[in-house]
Short mmCIF file of all heavy atoms in Angstrom, two decimals:
data_model
loop_
_atom_site.label_atom_id
_atom_site.label_comp_id
_atom_site.label_asym_id
_atom_site.label_seq_id
_atom_site.Cartn_x
_atom_site.Cartn_y
_atom_site.Cartn_z
N TYR A 82 17.07 -2.48 -2.51
CA TYR A 82 16.50 -1.14 -2.88
C TYR A 82 15.96 -0.50 -1.58
O TYR A 82 15.31 -1.18 -0.79
CB TYR A 82 15.42 -1.32 -3.87
CG TYR A 82 15.96 -1.68 -5.23
CD1 TYR A 82 16.12 -2.98 -5.57
CD2 TYR A 82 16.16 -0.76 -6.30
CE1 TYR A 82 16.69 -3.40 -6.80
CE2 TYR A 82 16.55 -1.08 -7.55
CZ TYR A 82 16.81 -2.39 -7.79
OH TYR A 82 17.28 -2.84 -9.05
N SER A 86 9.58 7.66 1.29
CA SER A 86 8.69 8.70 0.73
C SER A 86 9.56 9.85 0.25
O SER A 86 10.43 10.35 0.88
CB SER A 86 7.66 9.03 1.73
OG SER A 86 6.85 7.78 1.96
N ARG A 95 -2.67 13.84 -8.28
CA ARG A 95 -4.11 13.41 -8.43
C ARG A 95 -4.23 12.10 -8.86
O ARG A 95 -3.48 11.60 -9.77
CB ARG A 95 -4.74 14.42 -9.55
CG ARG A 95 -4.63 15.92 -9.11
CD ARG A 95 -5.20 16.89 -10.25
NE ARG A 95 -4.97 18.23 -9.88
CZ ARG A 95 -5.77 18.91 -9.14
NH1 ARG A 95 -6.74 18.39 -8.67
NH2 ARG A 95 -5.43 20.21 -8.93
N SER A 101 -15.50 -1.38 -8.89
CA SER A 101 -16.72 -2.13 -9.40
C SER A 101 -16.98 -3.32 -8.49
O SER A 101 -16.02 -4.13 -8.17
CB SER A 101 -16.46 -2.71 -10.82
OG SER A 101 -17.42 -3.44 -11.32
N SER A 102 -18.15 -3.45 -7.99
CA SER A 102 -18.54 -4.56 -7.16
C SER A 102 -19.66 -5.39 -7.51
O SER A 102 -20.69 -4.86 -8.21
CB SER A 102 -18.92 -3.83 -5.67
OG SER A 102 -17.89 -3.24 -5.08
N LEU A 110 -22.55 -2.09 -7.75
CA LEU A 110 -21.86 -0.84 -7.59
C LEU A 110 -20.70 -0.51 -8.67
O LEU A 110 -19.98 -1.32 -8.95
CB LEU A 110 -21.19 -0.64 -6.16
CG LEU A 110 -20.60 0.67 -5.87
CD1 LEU A 110 -21.54 1.73 -5.76
CD2 LEU A 110 -19.63 0.66 -4.62
N GLU A 113 -16.49 6.00 -9.39
CA GLU A 113 -15.25 6.60 -9.53
C GLU A 113 -15.06 7.66 -8.57
O GLU A 113 -15.93 8.46 -8.34
CB GLU A 113 -15.22 7.17 -10.97
CG GLU A 113 -13.86 7.89 -11.33
CD GLU A 113 -13.90 8.34 -12.79
OE1 GLU A 113 -14.82 8.26 -13.41
OE2 GLU A 113 -12.89 8.90 -13.14
N THR A 114 -13.84 7.75 -7.95
CA THR A 114 -13.60 8.68 -6.86
C THR A 114 -12.26 9.38 -7.09
O THR A 114 -11.30 8.73 -7.27
CB THR A 114 -13.61 8.06 -5.51
OG1 THR A 114 -14.75 7.40 -5.35
CG2 THR A 114 -13.39 9.07 -4.45
N VAL A 127 9.20 15.10 7.87
CA VAL A 127 7.70 14.81 8.14
C VAL A 127 6.97 15.88 7.26
O VAL A 127 7.06 17.00 7.22
CB VAL A 127 7.28 15.16 9.52
CG1 VAL A 127 5.83 14.95 9.77
CG2 VAL A 127 8.10 14.11 10.49
N GLY A 135 -13.26 12.83 -3.28
CA GLY A 135 -14.47 12.96 -3.78
C GLY A 135 -14.61 14.31 -4.54
O GLY A 135 -13.66 15.02 -4.73
N LYS A 146 -19.90 15.22 -1.06
CA LYS A 146 -19.09 16.48 -1.21
C LYS A 146 -17.62 15.97 -1.11
O LYS A 146 -17.26 14.85 -0.90
CB LYS A 146 -19.44 17.50 -0.23
CG LYS A 146 -20.93 17.92 -0.26
CD LYS A 146 -21.08 19.00 0.82
CE LYS A 146 -22.52 19.50 0.82
NZ LYS A 146 -22.82 20.45 1.92
N SER A 156 9.19 9.79 6.36
CA SER A 156 9.78 9.30 5.29
C SER A 156 9.50 7.83 4.81
O SER A 156 9.78 7.36 3.87
CB SER A 156 11.31 9.54 5.28
OG SER A 156 12.04 8.84 6.38
N PRO A 160 2.28 7.21 9.86
CA PRO A 160 1.59 8.35 10.46
C PRO A 160 2.35 8.99 11.73
O PRO A 160 2.90 8.28 12.47
CB PRO A 160 0.23 7.88 10.86
CG PRO A 160 0.54 6.33 11.10
CD PRO A 160 1.53 6.06 10.07
N SER A 165 -5.33 8.74 11.16
CA SER A 165 -6.66 8.98 10.71
C SER A 165 -7.04 7.76 9.91
O SER A 165 -6.27 6.91 9.47
CB SER A 165 -6.59 10.30 9.86
OG SER A 165 -5.93 9.99 8.56
N PHE A 170 -5.46 3.29 6.21
CA PHE A 170 -5.64 2.45 5.04
C PHE A 170 -4.94 2.92 3.76
O PHE A 170 -4.55 2.07 2.86
CB PHE A 170 -7.13 2.47 4.72
CG PHE A 170 -8.00 2.09 5.71
CD1 PHE A 170 -8.86 2.82 6.42
CD2 PHE A 170 -7.98 0.76 6.07
CE1 PHE A 170 -9.69 2.30 7.32
CE2 PHE A 170 -8.90 0.18 6.96
CZ PHE A 170 -9.76 0.99 7.80
N PRO A 179 17.27 -1.50 3.18
CA PRO A 179 17.17 -1.86 1.78
C PRO A 179 16.69 -3.45 1.73
O PRO A 179 17.05 -4.17 2.56
CB PRO A 179 18.53 -1.75 1.07
CG PRO A 179 19.14 -0.75 2.03
CD PRO A 179 18.64 -0.95 3.44
N MET A 192 -8.05 -0.74 13.87
CA MET A 192 -8.65 0.63 13.82
C MET A 192 -10.26 0.46 14.08
O MET A 192 -10.95 -0.43 13.55
CB MET A 192 -8.34 1.29 12.61
CG MET A 192 -9.03 2.74 12.40
SD MET A 192 -8.63 3.43 10.85
CE MET A 192 -6.83 3.48 10.95
N LYS A 200 -9.71 -5.31 11.99
CA LYS A 200 -8.29 -5.80 12.16
C LYS A 200 -7.72 -6.48 10.90
O LYS A 200 -8.54 -7.36 10.32
CB LYS A 200 -8.31 -6.87 13.28
CG LYS A 200 -8.65 -6.35 14.64
CD LYS A 200 -8.61 -7.49 15.72
CE LYS A 200 -8.91 -6.91 17.09
NZ LYS A 200 -7.85 -5.97 17.68
N ALA A 203 -1.60 -7.34 6.55
CA ALA A 203 -1.23 -7.18 5.13
C ALA A 203 0.19 -7.60 4.85
O ALA A 203 0.99 -7.36 5.76
CB ALA A 203 -1.31 -5.80 4.66
N GLY A 215 7.40 2.76 -21.12
CA GLY A 215 8.68 3.38 -21.22
C GLY A 215 9.36 3.93 -19.91
O GLY A 215 10.39 4.57 -19.94
N LYS A 216 8.80 3.56 -18.75
CA LYS A 216 9.29 3.94 -17.58
C LYS A 216 9.51 2.71 -16.64
O LYS A 216 8.92 1.74 -16.71
CB LYS A 216 8.26 4.81 -16.63
CG LYS A 216 7.87 6.09 -17.44
CD LYS A 216 6.89 6.98 -16.61
CE LYS A 216 6.75 8.21 -17.25
NZ LYS A 216 5.68 9.12 -16.53
N SER A 247 6.51 8.21 -8.12
CA SER A 247 5.09 8.29 -8.29
C SER A 247 4.42 6.92 -8.50
O SER A 247 5.09 5.95 -9.15
CB SER A 247 4.71 9.28 -9.40
OG SER A 247 5.24 8.75 -10.69
N THR A 256 -12.56 -9.45 -1.40
CA THR A 256 -13.75 -10.39 -1.08
C THR A 256 -14.16 -10.16 0.26
O THR A 256 -13.39 -10.35 1.19
CB THR A 256 -13.41 -11.82 -1.50
OG1 THR A 256 -12.93 -12.03 -2.80
CG2 THR A 256 -14.67 -12.63 -1.14
N MET A 257 -15.33 -9.60 0.41
CA MET A 257 -15.78 -9.36 1.82
C MET A 257 -17.23 -10.21 2.02
O MET A 257 -18.10 -10.34 1.15
CB MET A 257 -16.23 -7.90 1.94
CG MET A 257 -15.09 -6.94 1.59
SD MET A 257 -15.64 -5.24 1.68
CE MET A 257 -16.10 -5.05 3.36
N ASN A 273 -13.45 -4.97 -7.41
CA ASN A 273 -12.28 -4.75 -8.19
C ASN A 273 -11.97 -3.34 -8.19
O ASN A 273 -12.81 -2.48 -8.61
CB ASN A 273 -12.33 -5.37 -9.58
CG ASN A 273 -12.29 -6.85 -9.53
OD1 ASN A 273 -11.09 -7.46 -9.36
ND2 ASN A 273 -13.38 -7.56 -9.66
#
Side-chain angles (χ1 to χ4, degrees):
Y82 291 80
S86 295
R95 301 176 186 276
S101 176
S102 297
L110 180 67
E113 179 178 2
T114 303
V127 175
K146 300 179 181 180
S156 62
S165 72
F170 298 116
M192 179 181 296
K200 295 180 180 291
K216 296 181 179 180
S247 64
T256 300
M257 304 174 63
N273 290 281

